[in-house]
Amino acid sequence: MREMSVNLFISGLCLCLLQTSVSGLTFSLGNLTLFNVNFKTPTLLGRSVAVDSNVRIENDVDPNIQEDSNLNTYGLIHKYGYPAENHTVETDDGYILTLHRIARPGAIPVLLVHGLLDSSATWVMMGPNKGLAYLLYDQGYDVWMANVRGNTYSRKHVKYSTHHAKFWDFTFHEMGKHDIPSTIDYILNYTGVSQLHYVGHSQGTMVFWIMASERPEYMEKIILMQALAPVAFLKHCRSPVVNVLAEWHLSVSLILKMIGVHEFLPKNEFISMFNRIICDETTITKEICSNVIFLTTGFDKLQLNETMLPVIVGHSPAGASTKQMQHYGQLNRAGSFRQYDYGWLRNHWRYGTIEPPLYHLENVKAKVALYYGQNDWLAPPEDVEMLNSRLPNVVTKYLVEDEEFNHLDFIWGIDARALLWDRMLENMRFHENSVI
């Protein structure tokens, strides 16, 4: 759910830049000040951070950052000397998905599933020693990275093109019901093993709960499901972006249908150009870019490697359906974890009930580890606790010790390995004795 951050307000940001003076810039949404930045002392939603303060910007990354921002997932893996592979998965409803692999034949497979508006690149874009996929490979695992329908790498269908409205007629429900089961089957058939590890971030956890609800037989194929910033309930979500989607869901839905917009924040040259303008190497624009990111996810300035912002925006947003975004808004308004709401008449026709059916979280029989942060606006502790109370087989629930740890830090945080990933590896090894 994190990746809409940079781009949702991009047009407004550009207009603001045209109106700024040399001394600074302010951008507000209603009564909320999104950021207030000047050249000497940026103010980050009430937190003043001097340019020469202790904000860490790592300089030990690959010098050719621009190249990394343009390489695809396969290219990134290959560039750094890891065994990269592309695989193609066809779902039972006709979508053609790209699956990336850092190949270690004979090892236990791990499936990494990205979040909203993201792609497989999120696990490797920070580079060796900084990306979870590389760490897992170095620790002896066969690493597979999914791409759900509609993102940069999964934009084909046996019948429809992306120009057809029918192609975009999906939410995360179809991902959990079709994409993830098809991906798991492909990996297990290809490797000849019976189980795999599953690691999901944000929406990547949501689609797992849906798979369990709709196709519970897949729980037997999971060694351990590790949920980073787990999302199901959005009742206590503090992200202004998600809350706006919830508040204006009917208006947004009507407008999008009237103008025929079915894809949300597509990956194209226009979006990429403005991303790079906002997130280039100058201090002022870096501050703007990171503040918009924080607007969606929560603040943790010290864990964001700002040197890598050009790489981040080179790979996000990766595309989603507008229906998918509307579904998030519905969950926020409803306060429950349920299927898409078509309105009472169409609900009755599709579901046989006036209200959308709730997902069956009691079907999540696989072992589950929940990892969450106090400063996560999208998966706040209150909602994670609600999820935990409904899952039948939670073996670990861990609140990251860093009080500022936010939604993005689970995958991009500078100290993610020390704060979280090493613990994940220990949990994986502990539960592997169930694999024959």
Side-chain angles (χ1 to χ4, degrees), residues 35 55 80 110 348 434:
F35 52 75
V55 173
Y80 290 104
V110 181
H348 190 271
S434 63

Side-chain angles (χ1 to χ4, degrees), residues 165 169 249-262 322-323 326 330 340-343 346:
D169 186 21
H249 71 292
L250 293 176
S251 300
V252 170
S253 177
L254 178 62
I255 292 172
L256 292 174
K257 287 179 181 178
M258 289 177 62
I259 63 178
V261 175
H262 306 288
T322 54
K323 184 179 179 181
Q326 292 169 40
Q330 290 179 3
Y340 188 84
D341 189 349
Y342 291 92
R346 292 183 65 192

